[in-house]
Amino acid sequence: MDLNSMYLDELRELFKSNGEKSFRGTQLFTFLHDKRRVDVLNSNLSLEALDIIKNKKITKTEIYKIFESNLDDTKKMLFKLEDDNLIEGVLMKYKFGYSQCVSTQVGCKMGCSFCASTKEGIIRDLKASEMLGQVYAVENKFDIKVGNIILMGSGEPLDNLDEVLRFIKILHDEKGQNLSYRNITISTCGLADGIRKLADEKLPISLAISLHQTNDKDRSKIMPINKKYNLKSLKEALLYYQNKLNNRITFEYTLIDGQNNTDKNVKELKEFTRGLKAHINLIPLNPIEEFNEKRPSSKKIEDFKKKLEKENMNVTIRRELGQDISASCGQLRRRVKR
Ligand code: SF4
């Protein structure tokens, strides 16, 4: 494993088991994750400590291109990995600080029909160090502290759960970025088994579910994962999750004109969320070339929101940032590669 994917305890043990003081592990962890540096030869590690890690790997992740919005402070980025694969990220500025959308895989195998990230399938999982590298590269480049992390870039986080857990726990470590779990959101297309595993970790992170349809027949058409984990099994997993953590769950709901904004959808959505502490986040569709559907008009979006609210559901409409640099998840990478 590369050194920048290792937990503090693992680094301390690495030095201890090689006859060095374990505090060298703390020094290295702090250098990598608090100072966000990879040039260990310039750290305060002793020559003996450096000798222990001389054949170990430290993975580097670089910003390859930045696309800046002229409408707001949103920046979309391509990161270059050591094997030359490109992944995407977004940095958004809100009143309360910076939020960064992080990728967890190169490509994705989930096949959601509205998503550009999955059009070439999955290439590989990211290591924890490569997820951390996205955050640190942005913080170093813009000299900022990112206060919120959303795992909603390319990839399905629960399909790479071990590395994602490493990423989250290292970010949370007080000797690293010391980021509160509450400021980290995992967004999943609904891998019920992964949701249960995540629940067993009992980390008070935020969970978001890409729902987008309210019945199995229609959801399976746009999200193939629904054939494996249908809405019933998804709901069971969410009840299990809420039983362990009692956190509110956000449902991401991309509005596709005429497809999922009908009265039938209102009724089904109410039924699906019954018994869950749910928040519905409506997202007007951001069309991609490969998905030939339209977003509803602003009036239809407002109407749908009102109908859900009338049924006592907690609803917001996602504010759209960086619209001029378009590129919802996966589009930039595909465009640059062409
Ligand atoms: S929406 Fe998420 S889970 Fe679905 S294909 Fe895209 S990246 Fe994968």
Side-chain angles (χ1 to χ4, degrees):
M1 183 181 295
D2 53 349
L3 291 169
N4 40 351
S5 291
M6 289 171 74
Y7 292 127
L8 174 59
D9 287 354
E10 292 171 335
L11 287 179
R12 288 174 63 88
E13 185 51 39
L14 173 72
F15 286 101
K16 198 169 158 214
S17 60
N18 282 283
E20 260 293 320
K21 295 270 191 298
S22 52
F23 83 87
R24 296 293 181 198
T26 309
Q27 276 184 330
L28 177 57
F29 187 90
T30 308
F31 191 75
L32 295 170
H33 301 294
D34 179 25
K35 297 203 171 17
R36 308 182 301 241
R37 290 177 62 175
V38 289
D39 53 329
V40 281
L41 291 179
N42 297 320
S43 69
N44 53 359
L45 284 179
S46 64
L47 288 177
E48 294 78 11
L50 285 172
D51 197 50
I52 290 170
I53 57 169
K54 71 171 187 281
N55 295 322
K56 303 268 181 204
K57 179 149 187 53
I58 295 181
T59 304
K60 298 183 185 78
T61 306
E62 290 169 8
I63 297 179
Y64 175 68
K65 248 182 186 326
I66 301 171
F67 304 80
E68 302 203 32
S69 170
N70 292 318
L71 303 175
D72 51 54
D73 283 321
T74 303
K75 294 180 177 58
K76 299 200 176 179
M77 282 147 300
L78 283 171
F79 298 91
K80 192 170 179 179
L81 306 174
E82 285 185 353
D83 59 4
D84 285 346
N85 271 309
L86 298 176
I87 48 168
E88 289 180 32
V90 186
L91 179 68
M92 294 151 286
K93 192 174 178 191
Y94 293 99
K95 277 193 216 102
F96 54 79
Y98 287 97
S99 275
Q100 187 176 346
C101 180
V102 170
S103 290
T104 55
Q105 295 176 317
V106 185
C108 182
K109 65 175 179 234
M110 296 300 147
C112 303
S113 55
F114 46 82
C115 173
S117 291
T118 194
K119 296 301 169 200
E120 288 150 17
I122 182 156
I123 296 169
R124 69 172 176 86
D125 288 337
L126 294 189
K127 296 181 283 191
S129 56
E130 292 169 317
M131 297 176 220
L132 291 160
Q134 294 169 58
V135 181
Y136 301 167
V138 162
E139 292 186 328
N140 289 340
K141 172 79 186 170
F142 302 111
D143 196 17
I144 57 167
K145 169 95 177 130
V146 175
N148 272 281
I149 298 290
I150 314 155
L151 294 182
M152 209 187 268
S154 68
E156 162 53 56
L158 300 186
D159 189 43
N160 186 18
L161 185 56
D162 291 346
E163 292 298 313
V164 163
L165 287 174
R166 275 187 179 273
F167 165 66
I168 290 172
K169 290 177 186 176
I170 292 173
L171 260 190
H172 175 70
D173 196 300
E174 60 178 16
K175 292 267 188 302
Q177 292 292 300
N178 197 13
L179 190 72
S180 163
Y181 282 129
R182 294 190 193 285
N183 293 358
I184 301 173
T185 302
I186 287 191
S187 173
T188 172
C189 65
L191 273 64
D193 291 343
I195 292 170
R196 284 171 198 271
K197 274 193 209 148
L198 185 62
D200 290 338
E201 292 282 329
K202 290 203 177 156
L203 304 177
I205 54 144
S206 304
L207 180 65
I209 308 293
S210 295
L211 190 65
H212 310 310
Q213 260 299 356
T214 53
N215 61 70
D216 283 324
K217 186 167 155 270
D218 292 331
R219 190 164 189 264
S220 296
K221 278 190 211 154
I222 55 168
M223 301 182 73
I225 193 66
N226 197 74
K227 293 177 195 155
K228 182 164 184 198
Y229 300 110
N230 63 15
L231 287 170
K232 183 167 177 285
S233 68
L234 174 59
K235 181 154 180 186
E236 281 165 5
L238 293 176
L239 287 167
Y240 180 86
Y241 183 89
Q242 254 181 1
N243 203 17
K244 295 255 174 184
L245 281 134
N246 201 27
N247 278 357
R248 189 175 78 162
I249 295 166
T250 298
F251 292 94
E252 307 287 352
Y253 197 85
T254 299
L255 284 169
I256 309 165
D257 197 23
Q259 305 281 330
N260 64 358
N261 56 343
T262 64
D263 289 350
K264 181 168 171 271
N265 294 119
V266 174
K267 205 166 141 249
E268 288 173 344
L269 195 49
K270 182 175 165 67
E271 190 49 41
F272 180 74
T273 54
R274 193 188 298 278
L276 293 170
K277 274 168 55 179
H279 171 250
I280 318 286
N281 194 19
L282 300 177
I283 309 162
L285 176 71
N286 193 358
I288 61 167
E289 285 169 27
E290 301 84 348
F291 186 62
N292 200 12
E293 296 287 353
K294 287 206 279 313
R295 70 163 60 191
S297 64
S298 306
K299 180 174 181 314
K300 283 188 191 167
I301 293 171
E302 264 310 319
D303 285 352
F304 190 68
K305 177 174 184 267
K306 278 189 193 134
K307 284 180 188 171
L308 295 178
E309 282 171 339
K310 217 169 146 210
E311 297 293 341
N312 293 321
M313 280 184 263
N314 197 321
V315 196
T316 46
I317 299 171
R318 184 192 285 176
R319 191 157 68 93
E320 294 177 88
L321 293 173
Q323 269 212 298
D324 54 330
I325 32 178
S326 71
S328 60
C329 169
Q331 284 179 289
L332 282 180
R333 179 175 144 255
R334 280 167 65 76
R335 208 167 288 164
V336 169
K337 273 175 71 189
R338 267 179 209 163

